[in-house]
């Protein structure tokens, strides 16, 4: 199955928190060993979220858009990676950031994922730093 069989939809924390928690728990807490208190940082209710679902409606990935135009918490279940699902979620949130009037979309990329974001028009915009034991760099993409 490819990303063409997947649908990305806008989600919100009040309605979809259980699904979003399940996806992010699997990817960040279990796989990447991010401590729970860092993962659940208290700003999810203020964010717009996106969920990718497979052809049967099962959730396979997600991400969020902060009120300031930052995209974050990009997560695709391991067995679904490399098929364009992450790219589809990212483009969905870039379009949402543009629709909300942001001039620039920003994100803090884990350094291993920089080529993934570069393929979607983001450029590195800062030095490497550590967050939750994982090296990161700021990236941005102009929207106008
Ligand atoms: C990063 C992530 C969201 C990408 O999702 P995905 O569905 O695999 O992405 P896509 O299939 O749309 O794109 C993958 C492409 O990016 C490239 N890429 C480069 N570095 C990559 C990386 N670290 N992870 C995934 N893809 C990477 C792949 O080679 C692939 O290119 P190709 O299509 O030319 O083969 C997913 O790997 C993931 O959830 N990783 C664990 C959590 C994480 O690290 N999140 C990012 C936090 S900044």
């Amino acid at each position: 199955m490819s990303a063409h069989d997947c649908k990305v939809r806008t989600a919100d924390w009040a309605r979809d928190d259980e699904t979003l928690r399940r996806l992010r728990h699997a990817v960040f807490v279990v796989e990447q060993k991010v401590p729970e208190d860092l993962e659940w940082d208290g700003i999810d209710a203020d964010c717009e979220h996106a969920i990718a679902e497979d052809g049967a409606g099962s959730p396979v990935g997600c991400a969020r858009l902060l009120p300031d135009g930052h995209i974050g918490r990009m997560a695709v279940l391991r067995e679904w990676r490399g098929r364009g699902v992450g790219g589809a979620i990212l483009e969905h949130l870039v379009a949402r950031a543009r629709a909300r009037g942001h001039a620039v979309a920003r994100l803090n990329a884990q350094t291993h994922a920089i080529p993934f974001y570069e393929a979607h028009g983001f450029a590195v915009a800062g030095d490497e730093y550590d967050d939750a034991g994982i090296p990161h760099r700021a990236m941005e993409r102009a929207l106008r």
Side-chain angles (χ1 to χ4, degrees):
M1 202 181 271
S2 76
H4 299 296
D5 305 306
C6 268
K7 262 213 203 86
V8 180
R9 67 172 176 89
T10 296
D12 81 89
W13 192 249
R15 197 182 52 218
D16 300 299
D17 66 320
E18 215 175 291
T19 299
L20 293 163
R21 279 181 186 280
R22 189 150 39 85
L23 291 165
R24 280 164 47 184
H25 187 269
V27 172
F28 295 118
V29 178
V30 175
E31 183 183 336
Q32 295 196 333
K33 316 246 177 301
V34 173
E36 296 245 14
D37 58 327
L38 293 183
E39 179 55 31
W40 313 117
D41 59 0
I43 59 173
D44 282 306
D46 301 326
C47 295
E48 180 174 323
H49 297 263
I51 293 176
E53 295 171 340
D54 69 11
S58 295
V60 297
C62 63
R64 71 183 185 185
L65 175 64
L66 278 69
D68 68 359
H70 271 84
I71 292 169
R73 299 299 200 268
M74 280 277 330
V76 174
L77 295 180
R78 200 198 275 273
E79 57 273 27
W80 276 88
R81 291 181 197 157
R83 297 191 237 177
V85 175
I89 297 170
L90 183 59
E91 290 296 342
H92 174 93
L93 286 185
V94 164
R96 290 298 306 141
R98 187 182 285 117
R100 284 171 164 257
H102 293 291
V104 180
R106 300 179 201 278
L107 55 83
N108 295 309
Q110 296 183 11
T111 54
H112 67 81
I114 286 174
F116 164 71
Y117 293 114
E118 283 177 338
H120 292 276
F122 283 82
V124 164
D127 294 335
E128 190 172 308
Y129 65 94
D130 177 278
D131 186 17
I134 300 171
H136 284 74
R137 290 186 80 172
M139 299 186 78
E140 58 186 39
R141 169 176 160 181
L143 300 180
R144 289 180 191 148

